[in-house]
Amino acid sequence: MNRVYDRLVTLLHNKFEVPADRVEPTATLGELDLDSLAVVELYVTLQEEWGIALDDSAASAELTVAEVAGAVSGQLGLPAEPVPHDGSGR
């Protein structure tokens, strides 16, 4: 289980009202209906929650959920962990 990915799914669901069943590793933030302002808000939230510095210039609606989780994991010094691919969003 990847705790960063799981937290990201929860955050997308709770804060950005994305149905959990729509969140898949390969889904882009744009496909989840996050506009550019929401993507920046997501980045700020992730930085505050994890106490990390993400590259804001890389924040884009074209990023996939797995890429965002990977960026956070990388900043935390965590090894890249596989994310679920069962389509359940979990």
Side-chain angles (χ1 to χ4, degrees):
M1 182 174 293
N2 183 319
R3 67 183 174 117
V4 173
Y5 179 83
D6 289 346
R7 179 61 188 136
L8 181 56
V9 172
T10 299
L11 181 63
L12 287 168
H13 177 68
N14 291 345
K15 185 166 184 164
F16 296 95
E17 301 180 356
V18 176
D21 63 346
R22 287 186 58 205
V23 181
E24 296 183 12
T26 58
T28 67
L29 300 178
E31 291 171 338
L32 299 177
D33 299 327
L34 271 71
D35 61 18
S36 59
L37 182 59
V39 172
V40 170
E41 185 177 351
L42 173 64
Y43 261 55
V44 169
T45 301
L46 290 169
Q47 290 178 87
E48 289 174 354
E49 282 195 21
W50 294 96
I52 57 174
L54 293 171
D55 180 5
D56 292 340
S57 67
S60 163
E62 299 302 315
L63 290 171
T64 66
V65 174
E67 289 170 331
V68 174
V72 172
S73 293
Q75 286 293 312
L76 292 171
L78 299 173
E81 296 179 47
V83 293
H85 293 282
D86 63 0
S88 68
R90 294 261 159 193

